């Protein structure tokens, strides 16, 4: 009996107050969503977003227990007093001119004294990058929307981008306490004509080779949104199966959108067929209309001839018919392209366009790149050209890549602007709105924030003939082998005089035969 009492006390200590029905509510939550958008070009964009929010001030609190928030990222925030972290791995280029404004955008900067910005323009994104990214999810890839993240389907797309965003968010209006928010986003663009065998129809199974079977049990919200803005009820140009129970309308990036909503936590969505395979079919081919042109997009290229000098050019397009707006342009150029700042030229409609603000930080050889930041006013319905000349540097022979004739990559330019909206947005409760709506909150309903990236550039540098060292090595080794071998042979070789032999067994046999035939012996 004496052994039972300590065991009972041990159980009470382990249970604590929760053992008596006073369980503390969880301080963290998980929301996940998938937004499927048919693009004007006929492709299909799929955007995953997983948000984990934790009501904890990590740098100030000593946290030892992690429930939904990844422990590796929590320890990183606590150890280095991290304020924000935005990391993305992208393969391909978002074609703003044909696909429209990118759905996911990078958030605005922090204080420049604490900001660290780095770009690796040439990096192959593969399964080794996707696997640890999925392990950060509370349900990994076992349940919920993450079951669709199949590597062999995601990496055979026209565009693939996965990102991790960490930032503090205020719990109340006065921001007396904060919570930490982790957003894991993944965007892919499927070529509908390839996956759909020449048709614009698509389905979850056709794109991901899987269907949705159950929600993540740890998620408080799990939804799929399908953009049906182009749906014409009168003509019934397209059909979505299964029919949605609810729809959602809002102003997204300055344009009114309509979405079909599928809530995975609603048992009626999955239990009817034990799986959810969304399908979109066009009842009749859509009219061949020109896709809408976004109000802001950009192009970048390198010009010149030879391997001594060249010119970097960026074209900024403002297609709005009557409104001008400023654009913040950020360029980071490698040190081995020596910029001539006095050749910087900005022209709009054939006239010089002086920037309102300009900041330039020169490069240091093998230490830091050039940094050029400008605030440029784009006139209405215009094309603004920003160009600067450069000279190519000669690297050390140990600094060249294994394939130097392929060229060297230059990171893309970054454009940030408040673009006029077609439809004014209405104020809303961001916490209750869909996750994709919280990516671009606006204070002015007539404008919306847009951040774009131009394509990276491939620049050739003066490259030495790496075959010459090989030829010199071969020639030197040959000469050394011939000369040294002959000389060593003369020094170490010994000569002997060999006396002629009297004959062997063959000669004696021959003489016997000759003697028998009466022929003189040899």
């Amino acid at each position: 009996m004496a052994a039972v009492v300590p065991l009972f006390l041990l159980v009470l200590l382990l249970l604590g107050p929760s053992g008596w029905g006073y369980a503390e509510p969880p301080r963290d939550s998980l929301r996940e969503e998938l937004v499927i958008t048919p693009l004007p070009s006929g492709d299909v964009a799929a955007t995953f977003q997983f948000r984990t929010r934790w009501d904890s001030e990590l740098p100030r609190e000593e946290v030892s227990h992690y429930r939904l928030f990844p422990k590796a990222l929590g320890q990183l925030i606590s150890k280095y007093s991290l304020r924000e972290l935005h990391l993305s791995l992208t393969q391909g280029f978002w074609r703003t001119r044909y696909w429209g404004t990118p759905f996911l955008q990078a958030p605005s900067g922090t204080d420049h004294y604490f900001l660290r910005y780095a770009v690796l323009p040439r990096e192959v994104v593969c399964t080794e990058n996707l696997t640890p990214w999925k392990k950060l999810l509370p349900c990994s890839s076992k349940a919920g929307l993450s079951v669709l993240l199949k590597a062999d389907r995601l990496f055979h797309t026209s565009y693939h981008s996965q990102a991790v965003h960490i930032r503090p968010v205020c719990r109340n209006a006065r921001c007396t306490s904060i919570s930490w928010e982790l957003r894991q986003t993944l965007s892919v663009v499927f070529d509908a004509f390839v996956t759909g065998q020449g048709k614009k129809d698509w389905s979850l199974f056709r794109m991901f080779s899987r269907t949705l079977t159950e929600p993540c049990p740890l998620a408080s919200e799990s939804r799929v949104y399908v953009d049906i803005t182009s749906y014409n009820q009168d003509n019934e140009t397209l059909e979505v199966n299964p029919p949605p129970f609810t729809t959602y309308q809002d102003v997204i990036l300055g344009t009114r959108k309509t979405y079909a909503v599928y809530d995975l936590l609603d048992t009626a969505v999955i239990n009817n067929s034990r799986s959810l395979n969304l399908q979109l079919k066009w009842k009749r081919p859509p009219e061949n209309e020109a896709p809408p042109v976004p109000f802001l997009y950009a192009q970048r290229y390198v010009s010149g001839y030879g391997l001594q000098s060249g010119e970097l050019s960026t074209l900024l397009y403002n297609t709005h018919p009557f409104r001008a707006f400023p654009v913040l342009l950020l360029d980071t150029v490698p040190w081995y392209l020596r910029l001539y700042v006095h050749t910087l030229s900005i022209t709009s409609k054939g006239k010089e366009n002086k920037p309102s603000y300009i900041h330039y930080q020169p490069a240091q050889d093998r230490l830091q790149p050039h940094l050029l930041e400008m605030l440029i006013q784009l006139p209405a319905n215009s094309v603004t050209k920003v160009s600067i000349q450069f000279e190519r540097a000669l690297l050390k022979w140990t600094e060249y890549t294994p394939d130097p004739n392929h060229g060297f990559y230059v990171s893309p330019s970054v454009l940030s602007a408040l673009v006029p909206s077609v439809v004014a947005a209405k104020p809303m409760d961001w916490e209750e709105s869909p996750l994709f709506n919280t990516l671009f909150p606006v204070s002015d309903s007539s404008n919306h924030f847009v951040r774009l990236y131009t394509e990276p550039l491939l620049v050739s540098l003066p490259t030495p003939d790496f075959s010459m060292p090989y030829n010199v090595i071969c020639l030197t080794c040959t000469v050394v082998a011939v000369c040294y071998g002959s000389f060593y042979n003369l020094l170490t070789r010994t000569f002997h005089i060999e006396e002629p032999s009297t004959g062997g067994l063959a000669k004696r046999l021959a003489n016997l035969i000759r003697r028998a035939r009466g022929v003189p012996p040899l």
Side-chain angles (χ1 to χ4, degrees):
M1 186 65 182
V4 178
V5 176
L7 179 61
F8 177 72
L9 294 177
L10 178 61
V11 172
L12 290 181
L13 291 175
L14 292 177
L15 292 178
S18 62
W20 300 101
Y22 295 98
E24 181 182 358
R27 301 169 58 189
D28 50 5
S29 61
L30 170 65
R31 296 173 61 184
E32 60 178 7
E33 71 176 14
L34 167 62
V35 183
I36 302 177
T37 307
L39 300 177
S41 61
D43 302 322
V44 180
T47 303
F48 295 84
Q49 187 172 187
F50 306 87
R51 193 199 73 167
T52 305
R53 182 169 177 172
W54 192 10
D55 296 339
S56 173
E57 299 187 12
L58 291 176
R60 300 179 184 177
E61 301 179 5
E62 294 184 2
V63 181
S64 59
H65 176 68
Y66 291 81
R67 180 173 172 265
L68 299 181
F69 202 92
K71 184 177 181 180
L73 298 181
Q75 293 176 341
L76 182 67
I77 297 173
S78 301
K79 183 176 181 180
Y80 297 100
S81 299
L82 194 66
R83 295 191 177 184
E84 287 191 33
L85 173 64
H86 306 281
L87 173 65
S88 61
L89 300 173
T90 303
Q91 185 175 9
F93 173 67
W94 184 276
R95 305 182 183 277
T96 308
R97 176 66 177 83
Y98 304 100
W99 295 346
T101 306
F103 190 79
L104 283 179
Q105 307 170 55
S108 57
T110 59
D111 190 347
H112 67 278
Y113 291 104
F114 303 97
L115 179 63
R116 300 294 182 266
Y117 175 75
V119 179
L120 189 61
R122 186 193 180 191
E123 179 68 15
V124 178
V125 184
C126 56
T127 308
E128 285 76 7
N129 305 119
L130 181 64
T131 302
W133 185 89
K134 291 193 295 186
K135 289 182 178 180
L136 297 177
L137 298 173
C139 288
S140 185
S141 58
K142 307 299 182 182
L145 301 178
S146 57
V147 299
L148 301 178
L149 304 179
K150 194 176 180 181
D152 61 338
R153 303 295 297 176
L154 297 179
F155 293 111
H156 289 81
T157 55
S158 303
Y159 175 83
H160 172 274
S161 179
Q162 62 188 68
V164 173
H165 304 281
I166 303 177
R167 65 171 184 172
V169 294
C170 297
R171 300 188 201 175
N172 48 43
R174 296 184 179 181
C175 203
T176 56
S177 58
I178 64 171
S179 302
W180 283 95
E181 181 187 75
L182 166 64
R183 287 180 185 259
Q184 295 179 244
T185 60
L186 188 144
S187 301
V188 291
V189 175
F190 293 92
D191 190 339
F193 292 96
V194 174
T195 58
Q197 300 178 356
K199 300 180 181 180
K200 289 187 176 183
D201 302 342
W202 57 264
S203 66
L204 288 182
F205 185 80
R206 183 175 294 175
M207 292 189 297
F208 301 102
S209 296
R210 291 178 180 176
T211 58
L212 297 173
T213 56
E214 61 177 342
C216 175
L218 300 176
S220 59
E221 181 180 305
S222 182
R223 296 178 179 177
V224 179
Y225 296 85
V226 180
D227 189 352
I228 56 174
T229 306
S230 58
Y231 174 74
N232 190 334
Q233 190 173 3
D234 298 332
N235 299 329
E236 295 184 353
T237 56
L238 57 85
E239 177 184 1
V240 181
N241 287 319
F245 292 98
T246 59
T247 59
Y248 175 78
Q249 291 186 357
D250 205 346
V251 178
I252 307 298
L253 294 174
T255 307
R256 186 171 299 279
K257 297 287 187 179
T258 304
Y259 294 93
V261 184
Y262 299 87
D263 190 353
L264 299 186
L265 298 181
D266 186 358
T267 56
V269 174
I270 295 182
N271 288 353
N272 292 339
S273 58
R274 295 185 180 181
S275 67
L276 178 61
N277 182 26
L278 296 178
Q279 300 179 9
L280 186 144
K281 297 181 179 179
W282 293 89
K283 291 187 176 181
R284 61 182 180 86
E287 299 178 359
N288 295 326
E289 299 179 356
V293 180
F295 286 154
L296 174 65
Y297 66 97
Q299 295 178 349
R300 198 180 189 204
Y301 61 91
V302 61
S303 59
Y305 59 91
L307 294 177
Q308 182 178 0
S309 60
E311 184 178 81
L312 293 175
S313 300
T314 305
L315 300 180
L316 309 178
Y317 293 86
N318 177 11
T319 62
H320 199 282
F322 55 87
R323 284 194 59 178
F325 53 86
V327 170
L328 185 63
L329 176 65
L330 175 65
D331 261 335
T332 54
V333 182
W335 63 268
Y336 44 77
L337 299 182
R338 309 190 186 280
L339 298 182
Y340 293 144
V341 185
H342 69 281
T343 64
L344 178 62
S345 173
I346 305 175
T347 57
S348 299
K349 295 184 176 181
K351 299 180 180 179
E352 182 181 2
N353 187 344
K354 293 185 178 180
S356 306
Y357 162 80
I358 185 170
H359 170 71
Y360 173 70
Q361 179 178 329
Q364 297 182 19
D365 287 359
R366 299 171 180 85
L367 293 179
Q368 69 179 23
H370 302 270
L371 177 63
L372 181 61
E373 189 176 20
M374 296 175 289
L375 184 62
I376 306 172
Q377 186 76 11
L378 302 184
N381 196 18
S382 66
V383 180
T384 301
K385 181 179 180 181
V386 181
S387 61
I388 187 171
Q389 297 180 8
F390 65 89
E391 180 180 338
R392 296 171 171 88
L394 184 63
L395 304 180
K396 297 179 181 179
W397 72 276
T398 55
E399 296 175 341
Y400 285 91
T401 58
D403 52 347
N405 292 313
H406 177 76
F408 292 79
Y409 284 86
V410 180
S411 59
S413 301
V414 185
L415 282 75
S416 305
L418 288 176
V419 179
S421 302
V422 178
V423 181
K426 297 180 180 179
M428 63 181 62
D429 185 2
W430 297 108
E431 187 62 26
E432 299 299 329
S433 61
L435 291 178
F436 63 84
N437 227 351
T438 62
L439 291 173
F440 30 82
V442 293
S443 57
D444 183 6
S445 60
S446 62
N447 300 313
H448 62 278
F449 178 76
V450 172
R451 175 163 290 172
L452 303 177
Y453 298 86
T454 64
E455 55 268 52
L457 299 179
L458 188 62
V459 179
S460 299
L461 295 181
T463 305
D465 186 2
F466 287 101
S467 65
M468 290 305 297
Y470 173 78
N471 297 336
V472 172
I473 292 174
C474 293
L475 180 60
T476 303
C477 292
T478 303
V479 172
V480 170
V482 172
C483 297
Y484 177 77
S486 302
F487 186 70
Y488 180 82
N489 189 23
L490 291 176
L491 292 179
T492 59
R493 186 177 180 181
T494 57
F495 297 90
H496 300 279
I497 299 176
E498 183 179 358
E499 296 293 337
S501 59
T502 57
L505 179 61
K507 186 176 181 180
R508 289 197 297 270
L509 291 176
N511 289 333
L512 290 176
I513 295 174
R514 293 173 68 89
R515 191 176 293 113
R517 296 175 57 186
V519 179
L522 297 176

